[in-house]
Amino acid sequence: MDINLYTVAFTIINFIILYLFLRKFLFNRVQSFMVNRSNAVEENISTAKKNVEESTNLKEELKIKLQDAQVEGRRIVGEYKSRANTLSDEIVSEAKKEAEGILERARVDSEREKEKAKSEIKEQIVALSLLVASKYIRGQLDEKKHHEMINDFINEVGI
């Protein structure tokens, strides 16, 4: 194997020229592309971590809001149940008062009718007494007629 000095020198010069040429036009661009790509990847990873963290926080906030909404819903339902019970109690109380009023009016009307009936009976008794007295005055009654008049009086009065 024979090594030619010119070929080795020429290869080294070509390699240096190629290296300088690639360094000037390619290495800087590739290196800047790689740096930019690396930065973009790191930024995407950072954004993804930030989004995951934000979504986790948002999930927790929504969970808390849901629990608060459930508590508020239960409170509102309880409040409306309480109002409904109160209203029901008021309606029942009002109905009882009205029923008592109706019963009281019926009792008063009954008493009034009873008094009216008593008054009418008294008037009839007075009228019959006057009739009996007038018949008695017209003529003397014997015992038999007297009993007949009393029985007639009792039958007319309805006792």
Side-chain angles (χ1 to χ4, degrees):
M1 267 212 71
D2 206 5
I3 297 180
N4 188 350
L5 196 57
Y6 288 112
T7 305
V8 173
F10 183 68
T11 303
I12 291 175
I13 291 173
N14 279 337
F15 182 74
I16 292 173
I17 291 172
L18 180 63
Y19 174 75
L20 292 175
F21 178 77
L22 289 176
R23 185 173 171 195
K24 174 130 177 121
F25 294 108
L26 185 64
F27 288 165
N28 288 335
R29 287 184 185 172
V30 169
Q31 187 175 7
S32 68
F33 173 77
M34 293 302 282
V35 168
N36 288 339
R37 183 67 180 150
S38 175
N39 289 340
V41 168
E42 286 177 14
E43 186 177 317
N44 285 341
I45 290 171
S46 173
T47 302
K49 285 180 181 179
K50 185 177 178 182
N51 287 342
V52 167
E53 187 176 310
E54 286 177 3
S55 67
T56 303
N57 290 340
L58 184 59
K59 180 181 175 183
E60 290 299 319
E61 287 177 23
L62 291 176
K63 187 176 181 181
I64 291 170
K65 285 182 180 181
L66 178 62
Q67 289 172 347
D68 291 345
Q70 288 173 341
V71 168
E72 182 68 15
R74 284 189 217 110
R75 185 192 63 79
I76 290 171
V77 167
E79 184 177 314
Y80 279 109
K81 280 183 182 178
S82 174
R83 285 183 185 176
N85 288 337
T86 302
L87 185 60
S88 173
D89 292 344
E90 288 175 4
I91 290 171
V92 168
S93 175
E94 223 174 276
K96 284 181 181 178
K97 286 179 183 177
E98 190 173 326
E100 288 173 2
I102 291 170
L103 288 174
E104 182 62 25
R105 285 192 297 273
R107 187 188 61 75
V108 168
D109 288 346
S110 172
E111 288 293 322
R112 192 177 306 134
E113 289 296 321
K114 184 178 175 182
E115 292 300 320
K116 185 177 176 183
K118 282 182 181 179
S119 174
E120 287 177 4
I121 289 173
K122 284 180 183 178
E123 288 176 12
Q124 287 178 358
I125 290 173
V126 169
L128 289 175
S129 295
L130 287 175
L131 181 64
V132 168
S134 68
K135 284 185 180 180
Y136 183 73
I137 292 176
R138 284 190 196 152
Q140 288 292 358
L141 295 177
D142 63 357
E143 180 121 0
K144 186 178 174 186
K145 281 188 178 181
H146 184 45
H147 282 294
E148 286 176 12
M149 286 176 60
I150 291 173
N151 286 335
D152 289 343
F153 173 73
I154 289 174
N155 289 336
E156 286 182 30
V157 170
I159 297 176

